[in-house]
Amino acid sequence: MSAQLIREKEKIIKQKRIALTGNHAVALAVKMARAEVIAAYPITPQTPVVEKLAEYVNNGELDAEYIPVEAEHSAMSAVIGASAMGARTFTETSSQGLGHMYENLPIAVGMRLPIIMGMAVRTYSAPINVWGDYSDVMSMRELGWIIYITQNAQEAFDTIIQAYRVAEDSRVHLPAVVAYDGFWTSHVLQPLDVPEDEEEVIRFAPITRSWVKLDLDNPAQLGAVGTPEWYWEIRWQAVEALRGSTKVIEEVDNEFGRRFGRRYGLVSPYMLDDAEIAIVTYGSVYGLVKKAVNKLRSEGVRAGALRLRVIRPWPGDLIAKYLGNVDKIMVIDRTINHGGPLYGPMATEIATTVQRPVYNVLATIGMRAIDSDMIYEAAMKVYRGLWAPGVPYTVGLRGGYE
Amino acid sequence: MRIETVWVGRGGQGIVTATYIIANASIIDGFHAIANPEFGAERRGAPVKAFLTISKEPIEDQEPVKTPHVAVVFDDKLLGAMQFVIDAVKPGGYVILNTGKSPQDAAALVGRDDVNIVVIDAIAIARKHLKLDVPNGPLAGAFSKVMGFPSLQSIREAFETQLGKAVEENFAAVKEAYEVAAVIPAKKVDASAKPKGIISTTSAFLTGPYEVVGWREVNKAGAVFPGSSFPYATGGWRIDKPVIDHSKCIMCRKCWLYCPDDAIIEAWVEREGPRGRKFRMKMIDFDYQYCKGCGVCAEVCPTGAIQMVREI
Ligand code: SF4
Ligand code: SF4
């Protein structure tokens, strides 16, 4: 007799709609995920996250250790230490703050600690510019962190919760960063659906404590010397864990979708089925891109778009699948890869993935605003063959560069 | 001609400098040379090794030295733990050994009769000329004598460029070693024979043999489980050992307080009193397994009860 598997169809949990800025949405997600140790230093544009979390801890809404460190290097050190003790940790940074903690970023990876970091992205000095572009998060691509780039406050909120579940999965055990646009998401008030019963979040992402940690009953030394005959093997475990995390990220996203009613995928495609031109980008400007695609479509141009949501691990197969049959791929990069083969990091990676030249456009540098018309015009230039692939073009740079 | 050499000693004995000096001097003499120290997280006294290859032709390949023509050993106590270095020397090659022992005793320690053994008390020479326990200069002198290069003049020049200080003192030590190094020729050499072993080219050899496992089997995140420093008998790092004259010791325990290695112990001993009665009393002794021979105890002892006695 075959056993009949009866699975209760998972119901989408009850939620209420509130309005929060991206930063406060992130802080709320961290609170609901019950971070146990938070160490962060305020830096524009993430400051409200740090302030909000301090407030939660201070008024007893969140039972966490809040460590007011003197700088980001210490913030990362503190969460590494706390995570190595088995605590669920959170930190947040931007721009120069990331630069200051940089030394410790690969340590979190090598020690396989599931630290979650938020990032309200901001460009690097000089000149001093506290506004949003993707220079910071793009500069940590090679270190082994899982990197999410989200589009709005809702997605940042949801992704923080997903990230805890992914990072603490015993198949992964890696730190993850959840990035979102400085100001355009961090400071913009948006509608946000949050579970009525906060417990749903911890139910979805229970603290596993399954990672390699310090334990009095089973003493060990973490982060020890890795001589040449050991280092590579240990590091390769992290390389493989990151590669394998693709599957876990998808699983977690799917289950989140079933329970919360929202899922995002590793990439978000838009009208790509028959597209002859595709616009690829990341972060909040994706909304403008979709609008530009609509306008192109209305004029008979078969346009589509693709948003990169998870850039580490690199979802190469998916990207190749979605972009494989598109004639012209235009990538809008939001940071400059100074002197690189193309001038944008994602354009370079897309070009190697699809193995053909891409049209590279730089925009929003130092948070220079763009609108959907500018994107439309750039796409039209590509479409009409006025722009060549493999050459950097700019949208919004005075004096232009073509 | 291409001579491959390995130099083994302890952190602080100037192993790396010695290879730089010989490489530099050889280059002055018109040879090509590369000195590749193997760096790790060494501390003073911990075993270290360095490689030096000298050739008439330009050296483009940094091949690891696995079976050297020459092994220079800075401390005769390393012979046990690093027997594999001796095993790896090519038949007919050289083992140059710093030791205070007689050439015969030293040869017995090396335990091979198919290599030339060169015995030199480099510590005594260094102490005489430099007032320091750095045997690298004298060993460089011994090397020059038995190999026939580099010339003493070039070694002097190399000291000037590499060290730029204490050149005369170092050179005097080199010269004395050059004159007094005793060579025990190999008894029988089967030039076609292969060396008994090879030198592992990773720093693993500092910690002894290890099991080579793939990345899947390595502890996650490189966690190291206990574990303690007990197996590392750092007493092997000594050049001098403390010896106590109990008749002078007043049991003030100053030595115990200052010993950086916790190697001073109070041992219970039985003593006969004046009228034949047996007493159990405490006496200062040393844990030679871990005493690194720093001499701090002898330095602080108010009665001069502790003397440091040469051990290698
Ligand atoms: S310092 Fe000298 S006198 Fe004092 S206990 Fe040690 S050996 Fe004895
Ligand atoms: S020589 Fe140094 S290590 Fe040895 S017993 Fe004396 S103080 Fe301790």
Side-chain angles (χ1 to χ4, degrees), chain B residues 193-212:
Chain B
K194 282 216 175 73
K196 263 209 298 188
I198 59 165
I199 297 174
S200 146
T201 53
T202 70
S203 58
F205 105 105
L206 298 175
T207 48
Y210 64 95
E211 215 188 329
V212 182

Side-chain angles (χ1 to χ4, degrees), chain A residues 368-379:
Chain A
R368 172 68 46 84
I370 55 169
D371 60 24
S372 56
D373 286 339
M374 295 162 90
I375 297 168
Y376 163 84
E377 275 157 30

Side-chain angles (χ1 to χ4, degrees), chain B residues 238-257:
Chain B
R238 268 193 318 266
I239 292 172
D240 298 294
K241 74 172 181 183
V243 171
I244 186 167
D245 175 355
H246 287 118
S247 70
K248 288 194 190 157
C249 173
I250 54 170
M251 291 303 285
C252 70
R253 293 159 169 96
K254 233 182 139 181
C255 53
W256 172 84
L257 185 65

Side-chain angles (χ1 to χ4, degrees), chain A residues 142-251:
Chain A
E142 276 145 29
L143 303 181
W145 282 62
I146 292 170
I147 301 178
Y148 287 98
I149 297 180
T150 62
Q151 195 191 337
N152 51 37
Q154 182 72 62
E155 190 184 341
F157 174 89
D158 294 344
T159 305
I160 290 277
I161 295 162
Q162 291 189 12
Y164 275 113
R165 170 100 174 243
V166 170
E168 293 180 17
D169 189 295
S170 58
R171 292 167 290 174
V172 180
H173 290 163
L174 285 172
V177 59
V178 177
Y180 49 96
D181 281 44
F183 294 101
W184 283 338
T185 300
S186 69
H187 284 64
V188 169
L189 192 84
Q190 299 176 20
L192 185 70
D193 288 342
V194 299
E196 274 177 16
D197 178 6
E198 280 194 19
E199 295 290 313
E200 291 291 354
V201 169
I202 197 84
R203 252 175 246 140
F204 175 79
I207 305 178
T208 68
R209 295 198 217 288
S210 60
W211 56 99
V212 182
K213 58 189 180 303
L214 296 169
D215 171 6
L216 283 179
D217 296 326
N218 189 21
Q221 185 185 9
L222 309 185
V225 175
T227 47
E229 64 272 28
W230 293 109
Y231 180 86
W232 193 3
E233 282 73 21
I234 293 163
R235 215 64 205 192
W236 198 255
Q237 294 175 338
V239 170
E240 277 297 301
L242 186 60
R243 194 176 67 88
S245 70
T246 307
K247 200 169 154 263
V248 182
I249 291 168
E250 278 182 316
E251 265 175 41

Side-chain angles (χ1 to χ4, degrees), chain A residues 83-85 111 113 212-214 220-224, chain B residues 220-225:
Chain A
S83 185
M85 283 301 299
M111 289 173 69
L113 300 172
V212 182
K213 58 189 180 303
L214 296 169
Q221 185 185 9
L222 309 185
Chain B
K220 193 169 192 178
V224 181
F225 292 97

